């Protein structure tokens, strides 16, 4: 029978009572221990118990979700807690974030009241707030997530913000570790793929950071106009150097994928064309052949497909690859539950 885990002090000190906004807030030993525990939880070698008994966790959504909302709700319930999902605007009042705002517009309530009020009921608050893809500096400022962090008196958990999706990044690394056993020096490709419209950079940012924090060799394959934010790329480079991995950029998808162990398909928007939707969409039309298909997978003979989902079939990845034996996309989503249970049990113990 699995025994209830008493956590080592080092990992408790690292996570207990802390917000979880980015993997960059934690060091490699802490993140490694988190993955060890998540793997042990998943395989029933330890029982996390019900450390959330008597506790409630808010799940505040400004944007849609299938996986994050469901897996967080189940994680909280399985740990004995009460999940409180709230969709802002339809299930709550619309919120204002501008300091000093004269609130004559649509917003009924300011974050300066909303966050302290929620903190008085809840033991942690998860927040999902996507980028608006209009003004990059505004998205990069993480106005919504930062305001929740500033005005809440309980830990705040990033459920995907404008620039980061750390639960996804860690869940993905957990999946790679489960498949290969080790993470150092794994050859992974983050492959930009076509999509009808520009998407946020949160997943590519978080996957690139997490992969290099765990010592992998990362190739970012993208058209020339689709590089990561240079500041984020510098963080990825620093992280690779500190953890014994590497990062490089390739503008040739086939060259990048030769011999890869993982091809992580994902689309994102061009920083050069940020907020210029029509021109951006015109630009990406040139890259409709950036798709993960059987021929691309054959270049990575030992390679697996990953994608955070949702995925546009036969635009980003073909049916036969998604449905084939080298696809990890369902396992990736399933692992979010185990990762999140571990994280919640550490933060709220
Ligand atoms: N990958 C992911 O976060 O999925 P959802 O947007 O459905 O939550």
């Amino acid at each position: 029978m699995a025994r209830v885990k008493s956590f080592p002090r080092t990992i408790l000190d690292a996570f207990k009572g802390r917000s979880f906004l980015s993997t960059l807030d934690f060091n490699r030993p802490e993140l490694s221990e988190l993955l060890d525990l998540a793997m042990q939880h998943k395989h029933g070698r330890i029982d996390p118990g019900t450390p959330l008994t008597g506790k409630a966790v808010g799940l505040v959504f400004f944007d849609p979700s299938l996986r994050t909302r469901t897996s967080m709700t189940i994680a909280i319930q399985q740990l004995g807690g009460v999940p409180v999902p709230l969709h802002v605007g339809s299930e709550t009042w619309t919120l204002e974030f501008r300091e000093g705002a004269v609130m004559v517009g649509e917003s009924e309530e300011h974050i300066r009241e909303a966050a302290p009020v929620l903190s008085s009921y809840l033991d942690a608050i998860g927040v999902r707030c996507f980028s608006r893809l209009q003004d990059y500096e505004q998205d990069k400022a993480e106005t919504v997530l930062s305001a929740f962090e500033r005005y809440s008196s309980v830990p705040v958990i990033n459920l995907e913000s404008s620039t980061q999706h750390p639960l996804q990044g860690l869940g993905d690394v957990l999946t790679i570790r489960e498949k290969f056993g080790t993470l150092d020096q794994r050859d992974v490709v983050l492959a930009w793929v076509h999509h009808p419209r520009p998407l946020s950079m949160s997943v590519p940012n978080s996957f690139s950071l997490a992969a290099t924090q765990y010592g992998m060799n990362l190739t970012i394959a993208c058209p020339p106009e689709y590089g990561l934010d240079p500041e984020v790329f510098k963080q990825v480079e620093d992280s690779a150097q500190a953890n014994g991995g590497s990062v490089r950029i390739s503008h040739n998808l086939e060259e990048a994928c030769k011999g890869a162990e993982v091809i992580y398909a994902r689309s994102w928007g061009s920083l050069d064309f940020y907020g210029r939707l029509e021109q951006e969409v015109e630009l990406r039309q040139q890259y409709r052949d950036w798709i993960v298909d059987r021929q691309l997978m054959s270049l990575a003979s030992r390679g697996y497909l990953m994608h955070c989902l949702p995925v546009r079939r036969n635009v980003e990845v073909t049916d036969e690859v998604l449905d084939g034996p080298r696809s990890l996309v369902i396992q990736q989503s399933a692992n979010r539950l185990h990762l999140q249970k571990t994280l919640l049990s550490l933060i709220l113990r």
Side-chain angles (χ1 to χ4, degrees), residues 59 65-78 167 333-338 340-341 344:
L59 300 170
S65 167
L66 186 147
R67 281 145 287 276
T68 305
R69 180 165 170 158
T70 311
S71 58
M72 284 296 286
T73 303
I74 301 294
I76 296 159
Q77 280 179 344
Q78 287 184 353
L167 295 175
S333 295
N335 278 339
R336 292 279 305 275
L337 174 65
H338 305 291
Q340 289 158 196
K341 274 178 76 173
L344 285 165

Side-chain angles (χ1 to χ4, degrees), residues 4-5 7 12 16 48-49 51 55 344-349:
V4 175
K5 176 77 178 174
F7 292 104
L12 272 183
K16 191 167 186 238
K55 295 181 178 166
L344 285 165
S345 68
L346 291 169
I347 291 174
L348 290 174
R349 188 152 292 265

Side-chain angles (χ1 to χ4, degrees), residues 36-171:
D36 284 345
L37 288 172
M39 200 54 76
Q40 290 181 59
H41 282 165
K42 177 169 180 178
H43 295 292
R45 290 196 286 274
I46 52 172
D47 175 358
T50 51
L52 269 59
T53 301
K55 295 181 178 166
V57 179
L59 300 170
V60 179
F61 283 87
F62 289 80
D63 296 287
S65 167
L66 186 147
R67 281 145 287 276
T68 305
R69 180 165 170 158
T70 311
S71 58
M72 284 296 286
T73 303
I74 301 294
I76 296 159
Q77 280 179 344
Q78 287 184 353
L79 293 170
V82 176
V84 183
L86 295 167
H87 205 281
V88 177
S90 55
E91 293 172 334
T92 73
W93 303 109
T94 354
L95 293 181
E96 176 64 65
F97 291 89
R98 290 170 303 157
E99 297 295 344
V102 179
M103 291 173 55
V104 292
E106 293 299 309
S107 301
E108 295 288 349
E109 177 153 28
H110 204 282
I111 189 66
R112 292 182 77 124
E113 284 81 49
V117 168
L118 288 174
S119 302
S120 74
Y121 308 139
L122 301 166
D123 297 278
I125 303 174
V127 181
R128 165 162 284 201
C129 47
F130 289 170
S131 50
R132 296 296 158 228
L133 297 169
Q134 296 295 322
D135 175 336
Y136 184 63
E137 290 311 316
Q138 228 170 53
D139 283 343
K140 195 170 172 177
E142 294 279 15
T143 313
V144 175
L145 190 69
S146 317
F148 269 95
E149 171 69 355
R150 188 174 319 123
Y151 295 118
S152 301
S153 54
V154 296
V156 172
I157 299 169
N158 185 346
L159 304 180
E160 186 172 354
S161 65
S162 302
T163 65
Q164 296 279 328
H165 195 354
L167 295 175
Q168 183 70 52
L170 278 182

